[in-house]
Amino acid sequence: MRKTVIASLTILIGWCAGLTFPASAAGDPDRDVVGRFLLVDTTGRPVTDEAYAGKIRLVVFGYTYCPDICPTILNTLSVALDHLGADRAKVVTLFISVDPQRDTVAHLKDYLVSFPEVIGLTGSPEQVAAVAYNYKARYEKQPAADGDPNAYSVDHTASIYIMDRAGNFLARMPHGSKPDRVAERVRSYLYPKKTDE
Amino acid sequence: MQRRAFLAALAAFGLPSPVGAKAAQGLLIHDQPKTLPALDIRDGDGAPAGLESLRGQAVLLNLWASWCGPCVAELPALDRLKPKAEAKGVAVVALSLDRSGKIAVVNTYARLGITALAIRTDEARAAAEKLNASALPVSLLLDRQGREVARYIGAADWEGPKAAILLEALAAGRPLTPDMAPPQVKMTTAP
């Protein structure tokens, strides 16, 4: 039964992401992070990763409803862009919601007024599941202690992903990384040293 | 049910262990007081309003942002606390980390009817990093020498009896103990 569920989901995820991969590869823990996605931006338009071709991408997963404490990850990314100066034009920052139920297009747009340099992406539950799968990011709803069905929280991978200009995985930096370190890492990809191994 | 099955399936795929956005919450008392890094705090006119002027007085330094629901939900309680805390010798400073600076503060204060808290902004946009605040709200408790002796991560019940004991001890320079921790306040409705 469980295998059936997994196999079905593998097909579903692959289909949603517009990808084709053998079912046997899906269970491989060493599989690569894949930067492909089909989501919806804050204008309500469907968007794929190809919309950002030519730019380094800083990608984080999260959600805007934080009942207890709110991570300062978007603040970190904004400051990292400040550190990049003119090079920020070569970078896009993507915030992918793992809470499509509450993070509607309108709500996400409203929220990101505070972070105009960040592009918010949401989508159907299946689209979000697909991008999380591709990024090997995890998220899971946690019911509210008081049982309020609308007050759940969502545990999620809090890393900062850095993807190259074609959307391929370069690095995953931990939550809590300092903005200058993020900027430094991005710059190392913008201007790779030839002497590097 | 389908969602649970899906997540179970994700786990079965051998994906990396959850990193999660969970972090420590509540009162964290430091073993040793920590010297506070220099911060470029400005008032509503853009003039420097650093903590130096409060030296000799204990301080509750609350870090917040308009995009942080529980931060905004906590502000009215801090606004009410301010005169009471100051009567006990504890200054209350609410420092906004909003990148739009004063605008976000003015709008939020107006919306909430905040009257006692002064406008304080993080001009250099470096406070979160310098103070190692990876989540908001967070309230730093500073002794009379301006050193951080403890921090409260999350929104606290600042008007309850525990908070009163905590702030009295802070003002008097007495050691803070875990039993002084005020309860956390959960945001129930959007502020």
Side-chain angles (χ1 to χ4, degrees), chain B residues 108-128:
Chain B
T108 306
Y109 280 12
R111 188 160 60 85
L112 298 174
I114 298 291
T115 54
L117 294 173
I119 295 170
R120 292 291 182 267
T121 60
D122 170 31
E123 180 68 13
R125 295 165 177 171

Side-chain angles (χ1 to χ4, degrees), chain A residues 181-195:
Chain A
R181 298 299 304 275
V182 176
E184 191 180 303
R185 184 71 79 89
V186 169
R187 228 180 238 120
S188 76
Y189 296 124
L190 287 171
Y191 306 106
K193 289 179 184 167
K194 287 176 183 168
T195 52

Side-chain angles (χ1 to χ4, degrees), chain B residues 85-122:
Chain B
E86 288 183 348
K88 290 178 185 169
V90 180
V92 177
V93 177
L95 176 61
S96 162
L97 304 189
D98 276 282
R99 296 175 59 74
S100 60
K102 178 186 163 185
I103 299 168
V105 183
V106 170
N107 288 342
T108 306
Y109 280 12
R111 188 160 60 85
L112 298 174
I114 298 291
T115 54
L117 294 173
I119 295 170
R120 292 291 182 267
T121 60
D122 170 31

Side-chain angles (χ1 to χ4, degrees), chain A residues 2 5-6 9-10 13 26-29 31 64-75 78-79 82-83 88 98 100 111 114-115 117 125 129-130 133 136-143 146 148 154-159 172 175-176 178-180, chain B residues 2-25 65-71 97-100 104 122 124-126 128-137 153-155 184-190:
Chain A
R2 184 168 174 145
V5 171
I6 293 171
L9 284 167
T10 303
I13 291 163
D28 178 2
R31 68 185 173 84
T64 65
Y65 181 92
C66 38
D68 303 328
I69 53 171
C70 305
T72 52
I73 188 87
L74 294 185
N75 197 61
S78 294
V79 177
D82 285 349
H83 282 294
R88 66 186 289 163
V98 289
Y111 181 83
S114 299
F115 300 98
E117 57 282 290
Y133 175 82
K136 297 170 77 172
R138 293 193 64 183
Y139 63 102
E140 186 168 12
K141 267 189 187 180
Q142 302 293 332
D146 62 4
D148 182 344
V154 187
D155 285 354
H156 61 86
T157 298
S159 311
R172 182 161 48 196
H175 174 67
K178 302 293 184 194
D180 58 338
Chain B
Q2 278 182 333
R3 190 180 186 91
R4 290 220 168 271
F6 166 71
L7 289 166
L10 281 187
F13 284 157
L15 295 175
S17 58
V19 177
K22 282 187 175 173
Q25 295 182 42
S66 65
W67 44 263
C68 163
C71 301
L97 304 189
D98 276 282
R99 296 175 59 74
S100 60
D122 170 31
R125 295 165 177 171
E129 181 185 356
K130 284 186 174 180
L131 298 173
N132 209 17
S134 58
L136 300 178
I153 301 171
Q184 276 196 262
V185 175
K186 301 277 181 186
M187 188 176 72
T188 48
T189 54

